[in-house]
Amino acid sequence: MLLAIDCGNTNTVFSIWDGTRFLCTLRTATEHQRTADQYFVWFSTLLGHHGIRADITDVIISSTVPRVVFNLRVFADRYFGCRPLVVGKPECRLPVDVRVDPGTQVGPDRLVNTVAGHDLYGGDLIIVDFGTATTFDVVACDGAYIGGVIAPGVNLSLQALHEAAAALPHVDVTRPERVIGTNTVECMQSGVFWGYVGLINGICERIKAERGRAMTVIATGGLAPLFQQGDTPFDGVEEDLTMHGLTVIHEHNKEG
């Protein structure tokens, strides 16, 4: 079985793939000081809670936080006896090209999403990922990653607003019933929700105009279903897009 690990700036997700489906998905806060032994205690305890016995033979890692990769490597080697594939490292081959400026490092999560999006939908894609940052990844007709856009994430924007303005509370992200708020919380929720709807629509329109062709827009990340309610141009929402991409990359490397 394959253990796919997606380490983001906020959370790290572990999913077990049996070749046809994900048996379970476990999530923990990303902490660079967590040791391999701590990962195993947490991981094995939750597997036992779910009643899952998994014979893990392979591990693949995508990480936007380089400092955690070492302990995840040790975790894979010590407890599963395997050397993990790490997306972005030379030994991990991608089934798509990356066509950006020379010397530019593209985040592993964006590459994985590109692979997954192309596998599921073909080319000419815009992939909107609601994470710590809100990213827009552009995928060419042949599946190549050709660039994108990075904007502040929704929760990051709310946190900055709360911390920079002492009188403003911290609020949850939700779709307000009205655009015009009649109290502080409603005003903030409207500004964040409809502001990001405008951001999504505007950037996707500009990408399509710059590319001069029709493009499929796919959303992923925890807030994707929420923003799907806001007249956004999403043709699909894929909550497990990154994990699917990791399984495709793993299979591509096995075949090679």
Side-chain angles (χ1 to χ4, degrees):
M1 292 184 187
L2 172 67
L3 174 61
I5 303 175
D6 173 33
C7 178
N9 291 295
T10 304
N11 292 317
T12 300
V13 181
F14 295 67
S15 288
I16 299 175
W17 174 254
D18 70 356
T20 58
R21 65 189 180 96
F22 288 109
L23 298 182
C24 72
T25 296
L26 309 174
R27 186 180 302 267
T28 185
T30 298
E31 297 177 358
H32 70 269
Q33 70 270 29
R34 183 171 294 168
T35 67
D37 298 334
Q38 289 173 316
Y39 277 119
F40 182 72
V41 170
W42 168 83
F43 181 73
S44 58
T45 300
L46 284 182
L47 284 190
H49 174 75
H50 289 286
I52 294 174
R53 299 186 64 179
D55 181 18
I56 294 170
T57 57
D58 298 272
V59 178
I60 185 169
I61 301 168
S62 169
S63 177
T64 59
V65 186
R67 295 174 68 186
V68 306
V69 173
F70 174 78
N71 283 327
L72 288 173
R73 282 182 181 270
V74 175
F75 167 68
D77 177 64
R78 180 176 298 167
Y79 292 103
F80 306 118
C82 67
R83 178 181 177 85
L85 273 174
V86 180
V87 179
K89 299 298 183 183
E91 64 271 17
C92 183
R93 298 178 296 106
L94 298 177
V96 299
D97 290 332
V98 180
R99 296 199 289 266
V100 294
D101 293 343
T104 301
Q105 289 190 335
V106 181
D109 55 332
R110 307 180 77 179
L111 298 176
V112 174
N113 285 349
T114 295
V115 170
H118 183 251
D119 183 67
L120 294 172
Y121 292 89
D124 284 328
L125 298 179
I126 302 171
I127 300 173
V128 185
D129 189 352
F130 295 91
T132 305
T134 300
T135 59
F136 299 74
D137 297 317
V138 183
V139 183
C141 60
D142 63 350
Y145 176 87
I146 59 173
V149 177
I150 301 175
V154 178
N155 287 313
L156 190 63
S157 296
L158 272 174
Q159 180 182 342
L161 190 62
H162 170 63
E163 292 178 354
L168 296 180
H170 189 278
V171 300
D172 293 330
V173 184
T174 187
R175 185 187 192 277
E177 295 182 4
R178 301 169 297 180
V179 174
I180 301 173
T182 55
N183 57 62
T184 302
V185 170
E186 287 182 355
C187 290
M188 292 176 67
Q189 288 175 334
S190 181
V192 170
F193 183 84
W194 294 114
Y196 269 87
V197 167
L199 173 78
I200 294 161
N201 288 336
I203 289 180
C204 287
E205 287 175 7
R206 288 180 177 273
I207 290 173
K208 291 176 182 178
E210 193 168 293
R211 295 286 293 159
R213 64 187 69 191
M215 302 188 74
T216 303
V217 182
I218 306 303
T220 189
L223 292 175
L226 172 66
F227 280 94
Q228 191 180 26
Q229 305 172 24
D231 301 321
T232 44
F234 301 152
D235 297 297
V237 172
E238 298 287 344
E239 297 186 43
D240 295 324
L241 189 69
T242 303
M243 286 302 172
H244 177 73
L246 286 173
T247 67
V248 174
I249 292 171
H250 174 260
E251 187 64 28
H252 178 71
N253 281 266
K254 277 183 63 177
E255 291 175 354

